[in-house]
Structure formats: C-alpha cells, structure tokens
Amino acid sequence: TPTHVVDRADKPADGGFIQSFFSTISSYTADDPPEPSEEELEYTLTTVDCIINCHIEDLLADATQMPPRATKDLTLALLEQLPQDSSPLVPTVKLERPAAPPKMNGQRQGSRGPAYDPSLLYVLELITVLAIRDDENFATVGELVADAIQNIVRNAVNIHSMVLARATFYLLLLLQKSADQDQSFVRAPVVLHMISSFSQPRLERAATLVLKGVSICIKESGSLRNEILNTPDFWSIIERVHALPAVSANVFNLLKAVVEDRALAVTGDNYEFVVGLLNSFANAGGAAAASQQHRESNGRRQQSQEHNPPKESEEIQRGQEAVYLVYQLTTRVPTLIEQSHLERNEAWITYWSPIFSCLRMQCENPHRAIRRRAFSCLQGALQSAELASTDHQEWTAIFAEVLFPLIERLLKPEVYQADPAGMSETRVAVAKLLCKIFLHYLVTLAEWDGMLETWYKILELMERLMGSGQGHGMEEEISESLKNILYFMKSDGYLVPPSSSAEAKDTSNMWHETWKRVDRFLPGMRKEIFSESPPQSKARPRQSTEKEAETPPPPPPPPPPTSAAEDPQHASA
C-alpha cells in the first residue's frame, strides 16, 4: 500500500514532520503539478523552517561517525523502509480529485508510470554512504546494502527513472569498493547485465550516472577493470549510449584511454567492439560535416556559424582522432593474433580486416580533414612491417578487399558529390597509393598465383580513373605512377618482350595482356619505356631469395619531374 497519499480534495490532517516533509516534496516532484494553494504554501514554509532548525548536516555528520555496531543497527532500520519484493518498489500517488483539463497542446496532465519517491532515494543514498564509509563498515553492512540495491535495480521497470539512475550509480560504487576489499558479493558481470537489460529510454536517462560509475570502476588497473572491459554487456551499454550528446564525449575519452592504455586493455574479447565504436565516432564527424555543408549550400552559412559550430566541431575533432586511434591498433594486431592461436585466414578476418574496413570507409568520409587523416593512416597500415609475409598469403586481400573496393566506391557519383573538389584529389591520391603498394610488395607478390589477376585489375581501374573526367591532372598522375611500375618490372625482368625461349612463355602472355590494356588509355607508354625495336633480352626467373622476399624492393628509376610530389598527402592536400 502507498506510504503516503496526496489528496488535495480534503484538508490535510496533522501527520508529523516526516510525513509532511515527504508529502510536500512528492507533490512538487510529480509531473506537471498543479498550482499550490495558500495553505500548501504555508505548510511548505513551515517544513523548510523545521528542516533548517534540525541542522540535518550535523545529524548526517554524526551518523557517519557512529561505531560499526550502531551503523549496522541504523542500516538495518533504513533497509526496512525499502519496498519488498512482494510489493511495488515505489508507491503510486493517489489522485482522487477531479481530473485537470487537458493542456492546450493536447497532452494530458499528470504522470505516467512509477512516481518519483524522494524517501526511497534518500534511504538508498544514506545506506550507501554508511556502507562505503570505511573498510570496517563495508565488511559489516556492505553485503546487506548491495543486495538491497541490486533488488531495486533488478526491478527497474517499477521505479522512477531518476531513482533508477541514482541506484545504479550507488551499485557501481559498491562494486568498486567490493573489488578493493576482495569481496565477491557484488560481481561485475551481474551488475552490467542488469544495466544492459534496461529499456532504451531508461538507459538513456541513466547514461550520465552509469558512465560516471563505470569510470570510477575502471580508473585503476586491476582485476575489476579487466573484467569490465572484457564483458560483452559493458560494450553493449556503451554502444547504446555513445551517440547521446550528454555522454558522447565521456564515451570517447573512455575509448581513448582503453586504446592508449599501457596495460594493453584492448584484448581479443573487446577488439571488435573498440574498432566498431571508433568507426561510429568517425562517421558521426562526417555526418556533422555533411549537415553543415547542406546548410551552407542553402545560403545559411552565417546562421550555422553562429548557432551550431561548437557541437559540430567537437564531433569532427573526435572523428579525426578516432581514425588515428584505429591506426594505433595496428601495433597490437601481431600480439593479438599470436595470443588467439587462430588459423591465418581467421586471424586476418578477425584482426586486420576490421582496421582496413574502417580506414577504407573513412577514406570516403564527406569531411575532408577526416578523409585525409584516414588516407594517411591507411597508407601507414598498408606498409606495416607486420602485414606481409612469405609464410602466408592472406595479406594479399589488401588489394581485393581494401584498395580495389575503395577506388570503385570513389568512382560512384553519390560519393563524389559529397565533396566534389576534395573527392577529385582523393581519387588521385588513392590511385597513386594503389600503384605504390603494388610496387612495394612486387617481389613478394611474384610468388603468389594471383599476381597477374591483381595486376590486370589495377590496369582496369587506372583506365576507369582516366575516363572519369578528372582532367589533365588525373591523367598525368596515373601516367607517372604506372610508369614507375613498368620501369621496375622491365628492369627486374617481370615485363619483357616475348622470345622463343620456352622458359619465357609465361612472360609472353603477361607482355601481351599488359599492353593490350595499357595501349587503350596510354597509347604512347610502350614507346616511351621500350624502343621500337626492343632487344630480345632473356627474362630473369621470378623466384626470389629469402633475403629478397623480406627486403622491400629498391626504388625504380626516377620518372621525369612533374608538378605533383610523390608524397600522396600532397595529392590530397
């Protein structure tokens, strides 16, 4: 049954200080309370005077100094005031007065769902303060308080969202204290599972306090921190609230601390969650930029600069930083693969593929600064010393799963229109990067059966880029990039004119297929690299020594100077 009834149809009777105190507070914390009467105002002023004269601060200070036995007695008395499992967790407010007329906007006055009960919140906070006051008190009443608050949180649907948020925060404080004392009556997976079971509206209302409590729990390295960061329910909670403006900055700072943690907080259990969330922050930065560009295109640039830039600039800044944090994870990949004991193919899909997928996606980001950062990081990741190996061929997916799809996406009109001027530069930069990466790994690729198919696909994409209408700049950059590859392939014996030698039969097919494609969009290239009557040189075997396979190939002869620098960043600037 309700602990109190607010009934303004009848004149309130004298019911003692505590009842008047909570009744007065409840009447003004309900949703859309009616205007107070003169009599209610008088009662309120009287209650305020009584509270002042009681010196509540002194009483609470004295309570926190009580000996453990007295603290336990007080805690037990307070626990008896909490609702039991057999009754609703929060009393409802009985309204027997005539219903108030609806608002002008059509919304009905009055509250829906559990009512806010300040007495419940008061008891929860006081018992938490008493429990975590010191180690002796926690050993005496900590388990009792933790069980009581867990019951409250477990039945979240029956309590007001404000009380639920505070109760969750208190439970996380108890969890942290329990870990410090090596107690097991509060367990992180259980607490996190209860929180992840909240409905989305309730979780969003509690998000600020949940993040605050979790941050306290993982502030210091230890078993609790590791347990939380490797619990799927924790990452489910973070994923559901990370986009909320009130907590997005806190979530990002948490992610940043995890990635940069010297204790190697990123593990095989949370790696996928971390990369996915960082990618979401980068996408949010692009969405903010796209929104700003749309407003500017409608002639409201001045208005947008006056009203919204702080929020959007923070999102864009986080987007750029998120991309770099993803790149930083490349240093953890070899260790994670070694610890996982996965097969090579599974290891690539699990650890390398998410990084390249994220960086490839952000190279299409509508915001130019994020896109440039992603391109720079992608270039660094593709040349990682730990990526390629002669022991396996999974790394060759950087062409079919990363670079080829990226160029095909950049050629799509809808991607280009997101930033026409900037996307033109990005196309040039990625085309040069593709040629650079192919040349960088050419010696190792020569041992791979898919080398020719990859080379022909590169030529196909170069032809499409030449025909994309980018003008003379694109043609010049692609011509110079291909020339670098062809010079090296000629000098190292990979591309030679056909001869009657039986061992050169394979090179004959490569020669004809290569020039059949190149001549379609660069008809003068063959004459520039080879004389009209090329010498019948014998092709060298493609087999490379172990030393050659481990050492990057020497740079090709320098091409004639052009206005574009070899640095891909220059092309995208």
Side-chain angles (χ1 to χ4, degrees):
T1 59
T3 59
H4 65 274
V5 174
V6 176
D7 192 347
R8 290 191 175 128
D10 299 323
K11 181 178 179 180
D14 295 335
F17 165 71
I18 297 297
Q19 183 176 355
S20 299
F21 173 59
F22 286 124
S23 297
T24 301
I25 294 178
S26 296
S27 66
Y28 289 100
T29 54
D31 295 334
D32 301 320
E35 291 295 327
S37 65
E38 294 183 2
E39 191 174 28
E40 289 173 327
L41 288 174
E42 180 64 28
Y43 287 154
T44 300
L45 293 175
T46 302
T47 302
V48 170
D49 291 338
C50 291
I51 293 174
I52 294 175
N53 292 329
C54 287
H55 301 289
I56 299 297
E57 297 84 356
D58 295 338
L59 291 174
L60 291 176
D62 291 341
T64 58
Q65 300 301 321
M66 293 188 301
R69 180 60 186 174
T71 300
K72 182 176 182 180
D73 292 339
L74 176 59
T75 302
L76 292 174
L78 291 169
L79 290 174
E80 291 179 358
Q81 305 304 312
L82 296 178
Q84 303 300 317
D85 293 339
S86 59
S87 63
L89 286 173
V90 173
T92 58
V93 178
K94 179 181 179 182
L95 297 174
E96 295 182 351
R97 64 184 185 279
K103 290 183 176 181
M104 295 301 294
N105 61 8
Q107 294 182 355
R108 183 176 61 85
Q109 289 187 350
S111 62
R112 292 183 178 180
Y116 174 67
D117 180 16
S119 62
L120 176 59
L121 187 56
Y122 173 79
V123 171
L124 291 175
E125 181 156 0
L126 184 54
I127 60 177
T128 302
V129 170
L130 293 173
I132 65 175
R133 186 184 71 183
D134 53 44
D135 297 346
E136 189 174 6
N137 271 5
F138 191 77
T140 304
V141 301
E143 185 170 4
L144 295 173
V145 173
D147 289 343
I149 297 181
Q150 283 189 91
N151 287 334
I152 298 291
V153 175
R154 189 177 293 113
N155 293 278
V157 69
N158 293 321
I159 63 174
H160 193 276
S161 58
M162 186 183 299
V163 178
L164 176 62
R166 298 297 302 182
T168 304
F169 176 68
Y170 301 147
L171 185 57
L172 289 168
L173 291 181
L174 292 167
L175 173 62
Q176 192 271 337
K177 186 69 174 181
S178 174
D180 286 347
Q181 301 300 311
D182 292 327
Q183 302 289 344
S184 60
F185 50 78
V186 186
R187 298 183 60 245
V190 175
V191 173
L192 294 172
H193 183 70
M194 286 191 290
I195 298 173
S196 69
S197 300
F198 292 173
S199 65
Q200 187 64 24
R202 288 182 176 274
L203 182 59
E204 290 180 1
R205 295 188 188 102
T208 301
L209 286 174
V210 168
L211 263 293
K212 182 179 179 181
V214 167
S215 298
I216 292 173
C217 291
I218 65 175
K219 184 177 181 180
E220 302 293 338
S221 299
S223 59
L224 176 61
R225 186 173 192 264
N226 295 335
E227 190 172 26
I228 289 176
L229 293 179
N230 289 288
T231 300
D233 281 322
F234 168 74
W235 294 103
S236 173
I237 295 166
I238 297 300
E239 196 279 331
R240 290 168 62 188
V241 304
H242 79 278
L244 298 177
V247 299
S248 58
N250 294 334
V251 173
F252 184 78
N253 290 335
L254 185 151
L255 281 173
K256 182 178 178 182
V258 170
V259 173
E260 297 179 343
D261 181 46
R262 294 183 179 180
L264 307 180
V266 176
T267 67
D269 292 327
N270 59 34
Y271 179 83
E272 183 178 356
F273 295 111
V274 172
V275 176
L277 285 166
L278 290 173
N279 189 53
S280 295
F281 277 106
N283 288 336
S291 177
Q292 183 178 9
Q293 291 171 1
H294 177 71
R295 288 194 299 271
E296 292 174 355
S297 66
N298 290 334
R300 296 196 296 269
R301 182 171 184 175
Q302 183 65 32
Q303 181 180 358
S304 67
Q305 289 177 345
E306 292 175 357
H307 292 146
N308 292 322
K311 177 181 178 181
E312 293 186 353
S313 63
E314 290 176 3
E315 292 173 346
I316 292 169
Q317 184 178 3
R318 286 197 293 265
Q320 295 181 62
E321 195 168 0
V323 170
Y324 183 68
L325 290 174
V326 171
Y327 172 69
Q328 282 186 289
L329 291 174
T330 57
T331 61
R332 292 280 298 129
V333 169
T335 301
L336 291 172
I337 290 177
E338 183 179 355
Q339 293 173 346
S340 69
H341 304 292
L342 293 173
E343 296 294 333
R344 290 290 186 180
N345 185 52
E346 294 181 6
W348 166 268
I349 295 173
T350 303
Y351 296 109
W352 279 115
S353 184
I355 288 179
F356 285 121
S357 178
C358 173
L359 296 178
R360 183 198 69 206
M361 184 182 301
Q362 298 314 319
C363 283
E364 310 166 20
N365 196 293
H367 191 268
R368 200 171 301 179
I370 297 177
R371 192 167 63 248
R372 287 173 175 170
R373 176 68 63 86
F375 175 82
S376 177
C377 291
L378 177 62
Q379 179 177 244
L382 288 171
Q383 298 182 81
S384 170
E386 305 291 343
L387 177 62
S389 173
T390 56
D391 297 333
H392 62 91
Q393 297 178 343
E394 284 73 22
W395 66 273
T396 57
I398 60 176
F399 294 100
E401 297 181 10
V402 182
L403 290 168
F404 294 166
L406 174 56
I407 291 180
E408 290 174 348
R409 285 285 301 168
L410 291 173
L411 285 169
K412 291 185 177 297
E414 60 270 22
V415 175
Y416 178 79
Q417 290 301 323
D419 180 19
M423 286 297 178
S424 297
E425 297 166 351
T426 302
R427 285 179 176 179
V428 173
V430 175
K432 292 175 65 178
L433 177 62
L434 173 58
C435 294
K436 180 178 181 179
I437 294 302
F438 180 77
L439 188 57
H440 181 74
Y441 291 116
L442 183 57
V443 172
T444 309
L445 286 170
E447 306 295 329
W448 176 45
D449 293 339
M451 184 269 193
L452 288 180
E453 183 179 352
T454 299
W455 169 235
Y456 298 152
K457 180 67 175 180
I458 291 174
L459 295 177
E460 175 191 333
L461 291 174
M462 295 299 108
E463 181 179 5
R464 291 178 60 188
L465 286 166
M466 289 280 285
S468 63
Q470 300 296 119
H472 181 70
M474 171 71 81
E475 295 175 2
E476 184 178 356
E477 294 292 350
I478 289 179
S479 175
E480 294 301 327
S481 296
L482 280 178
K483 191 184 298 183
N484 285 342
I485 298 178
L486 293 170
Y487 268 130
F488 182 79
M489 294 177 75
K490 171 191 173 183
S491 63
D492 219 40
Y494 296 106
L495 186 65
V496 294
S499 67
S500 58
S501 174
E503 61 184 9
K505 185 177 181 179
D506 291 340
T507 62
S508 176
N509 291 334
M510 183 177 180
W511 171 273
H512 289 298
E513 291 298 324
T514 295
W515 293 115
K516 182 175 71 174
R517 289 166 170 79
V518 174
D519 288 344
R520 289 200 297 258
F521 61 97
L522 291 173
M525 182 68 70
R526 186 190 330 200
K527 185 176 180 180
E528 185 174 352
I529 296 178
F530 295 89
S531 63
E532 293 185 4
S533 300
Q536 299 296 318
S537 61
K538 186 176 180 180
R540 295 190 308 169
R542 296 188 191 181
Q543 298 178 354
S544 58
T545 64
E546 182 178 353
K547 182 177 180 181
E548 289 175 329
E550 294 178 353
T551 305
T562 64
S563 59
E566 284 301 314
D567 184 6
Q569 284 285 31
H570 177 77
S572 63

